[in-house]
Amino acid sequence: MSRVSRRHLLRGGASVLAGAALPGRSALAAARSSDNPETVVNVADLGAVGDGRTDDSGAFEIAYAFAAARVSDGVGRVVIEIPAGEFLITRPHALLNGVAPPRPASGLRFSGAGRRMTSLVFRPGTGPNSYLCRNQDVWSNLSFERMQFRSATPGASFFDSYSTGQAQDYRFSECEWMGEWEYGLALSGTDTNSEMRWEACRVGGRYRRAFLYSGLTRAGQQEPNDQDQFLNYWFTDMKVEYEWGNFLEFPYGGSIACRGGSYIITDRRPQSTPEYGTTSTFFRFPVNRHHDSVQRFHAQDIRFEVRNPDVVVIDCVWDSGTVHFSDCDDTAFAHKDFSAEVRPHRYTVGPRGPLIRYDSCQLVGRHTYRPASADPLPVVARYDMCLLRSHAARDFAVTSGTSRAPFVQFVHCIDAGTPSGASGPASPATPPPPPCLAPSPSPSPAPATAP
């Protein structure tokens, strides 16, 4: 892949520079008229200084206009390179401004020199409703790699993604977020906004709402099922270590998988809010009505730290679907005085679940189950070969207060009441789970045997 030299940009990119000063279609037409065949553009060649003091918004806006103009047959043709340095951006949407009239396009990559080596500092005049990036049904197949994003205006947001079928396939690799944000990424729309991947990233800073908020309600989207296409979010080998706020909040369902890494909330919200109180939650799923296909959560091989009673690992009110923790550990602070009574895992459950399972996990405190009705429930939660650090199995899963949850089953678990060297307790006297939650039809009578 050939690269844009400074000399070539100053000559061939003149139409892009001129076009960036023009509104709407004029800017795109001017950029498209350039005979520059190159497909890699470095923002330093467009005037970005990267000294942390100079406003580099213009250089990033030009780079994006150039990339939008190079779309051919629905495919993007430009990689935007950002060298080592601290680049100050003060204007919203300067990094990515995907709005109509540009036609839908697939493929745009932002490449830095390394996490913290390349740092983008977002400092708009006001925080709320100011986004560094926006994509409204224009781009799919977006990639950000090896860079840091930092909010220097409390309450600013990183990414606004709206989709009715186009926005999907985002990838973040070796990126980091710091500073105080309202949203990291806010997703909205009626279809897609899916297939998004984070690999070896670090989520730091503070979040007034959430790092990933999937289901920001807009005009015409008042019903939960209007936003039920939040599918396939993958987080792999993450370092999630932030001060306060929520990591993932999915008011309108979702299919999410988190594998590997360390998840830590280091502080408490500075003040109580009506919606969150003083609680910070890694995984918050606060609305129960969704299609089953978008009620799926899986966490595997993750170390959580519950540093104070206001840290919650999961709070889920789904009315069906599945939740699965495998080989996870939240006992790092089990030696603290408060740890025995923390309740970091909280569920609302009904006759269709959600079906909840913990395999080979080490767990602190108690788990809270809130029955959706007073009717008896089938077994909807099961713990297999888990270490219950703070309580015996009979006292571990509770409803109100310390009342035992009879719809929770334990299989070959070791609990706080197990003597050293003894084998783990057998399953309590709970009937084995039915093969499914729906009642089985009565068997038909066998036909009479002919004499």
Side-chain angles (χ1 to χ4, degrees):
M1 183 179 291
S2 57
R3 296 176 177 269
V4 176
S5 68
R6 183 182 298 272
R7 178 177 55 81
H8 199 168
L9 265 172
L10 292 176
R11 183 183 70 248
S15 61
V16 180
L17 289 165
L22 301 175
R25 295 180 183 272
S26 299
L28 294 174
R32 192 178 296 113
S33 66
S34 170
D35 60 357
N36 186 351
E38 313 298 343
T39 55
V40 178
V41 58
N42 191 306
V43 295
D45 290 325
L46 298 173
V49 178
D51 61 0
R53 300 182 303 274
T54 305
D55 187 353
D56 291 323
S57 300
F60 284 91
E61 290 169 337
I62 293 168
Y64 174 74
F66 181 78
R70 292 282 298 170
V71 172
S72 176
D73 296 326
V75 179
R77 305 295 182 183
V78 173
V79 176
I80 297 175
E81 285 191 341
I82 310 168
E86 187 174 286
F87 298 87
L88 176 63
I89 300 176
T90 64
R91 292 197 287 273
H93 318 134
L95 184 62
L96 174 67
N97 193 17
V99 293
R103 59 203 179 283
S106 174
L108 176 59
R109 181 156 63 97
F110 297 86
S111 182
R115 193 171 69 189
R116 298 195 182 182
M117 295 174 66
T118 296
S119 181
L120 274 58
V121 181
F122 186 39
R123 195 181 69 193
T126 59
N129 299 315
S130 294
Y131 291 84
L132 179 60
C133 303
R134 68 175 169 181
N135 182 32
Q136 298 182 355
D137 255 347
V138 173
W139 291 96
S140 63
N141 189 20
L142 286 169
S143 179
F144 300 80
E145 57 189 42
R146 301 191 301 273
M147 65 184 72
Q148 179 194 76
F149 307 101
R150 177 154 52 92
S151 170
T153 300
S157 297
F158 169 62
F159 203 122
D160 174 20
S161 181
Y162 171 82
S163 177
T164 61
Q166 171 65 14
Q168 60 181 316
D169 295 313
Y170 297 177
R171 179 171 178 170
F172 300 90
S173 178
E174 298 181 57
C175 291
E176 179 180 50
W177 289 262
M178 297 296 291
E180 183 173 326
W181 306 88
E182 182 171 16
Y183 300 100
L185 291 85
L187 311 182
S188 62
T190 58
D191 190 18
T192 314
N193 248 328
S194 58
E195 283 72 53
M196 300 185 184
R197 182 184 301 273
W198 288 257
E199 298 174 323
C201 292
R202 181 178 186 273
V203 175
R206 303 167 294 280
Y207 298 90
R208 296 182 178 182
R209 298 301 297 272
F211 171 73
L212 175 58
Y213 190 97
S214 188
L216 185 65
T217 302
R218 296 176 185 264
Q221 299 167 357
Q222 302 303 319
E223 293 298 322
N225 285 343
D226 285 347
Q227 297 198 82
D228 256 1
Q229 291 299 316
F230 298 114
L231 301 174
N232 301 332
Y233 303 88
W234 302 286
F235 297 85
T236 306
D237 300 331
M238 299 286 291
K239 186 175 183 181
V240 178
E241 185 174 344
Y242 61 97
E243 295 180 38
W244 49 265
N246 299 334
F247 175 48
L248 307 182
E249 184 164 357
F250 280 65
Y252 296 95
S255 179
I256 309 122
C258 301
R259 293 185 172 88
S262 180
Y263 286 54
I264 304 169
I265 297 173
T266 63
D267 209 339
R268 302 188 184 193
R269 289 184 184 272
Q271 62 184 17
S272 178
T273 66
E275 185 171 3
Y276 302 119
T278 57
T279 298
S280 294
T281 306
F282 289 114
F283 313 120
R284 186 172 187 263
F285 310 135
V287 178
N288 66 342
R289 210 176 103 226
H290 315 290
H291 298 300
D292 286 356
S293 62
V294 286
Q295 293 185 134
R296 176 187 173 275
F297 174 77
H298 181 73
Q300 178 180 355
D301 192 25
I302 297 175
R303 178 182 178 273
F304 299 97
E305 289 192 7
V306 181
R307 292 192 175 187
N308 62 69
D310 284 333
V311 171
V312 174
V313 174
I314 184 169
D315 193 341
C316 176
V317 303
W318 290 346
D319 60 1
S320 61
T322 61
V323 175
H324 187 194
F325 285 82
S326 174
D327 196 20
C328 293
D329 184 347
D330 64 13
T331 63
F333 281 73
H335 60 283
K336 294 290 188 179
D337 293 339
F338 63 82
S339 66
E341 295 310 314
V342 297
R343 305 202 177 190
H345 299 243
R346 307 173 183 182
Y347 298 96
T348 296
V349 290
R352 289 182 51 81
L355 299 178
I356 300 160
R357 183 158 182 165
Y358 289 81
D359 290 316
S360 301
C361 293
Q362 300 182 63
L363 303 168
V364 72
R366 305 177 194 262
H367 288 191
T368 298
Y369 288 85
R370 302 163 299 222
S373 70
D375 297 331
L377 296 176
V379 172
V380 294
R382 174 169 165 159
Y383 296 74
D384 285 346
M385 298 193 72
C386 293
L387 172 64
L388 312 179
R389 182 67 179 268
S390 308
H391 297 277
R394 64 180 177 274
D395 301 318
F396 176 78
V398 298
T399 55
S400 59
T402 57
S403 300
R404 181 170 171 268
F407 41 80
V408 178
Q409 186 180 53
F410 300 88
V411 179
H412 302 303
C413 292
I414 298 175
D415 63 21
T418 305
S420 178
S423 60
S427 175
T430 303
C436 62
L437 293 180
S440 300
S442 301
S444 302
T449 305

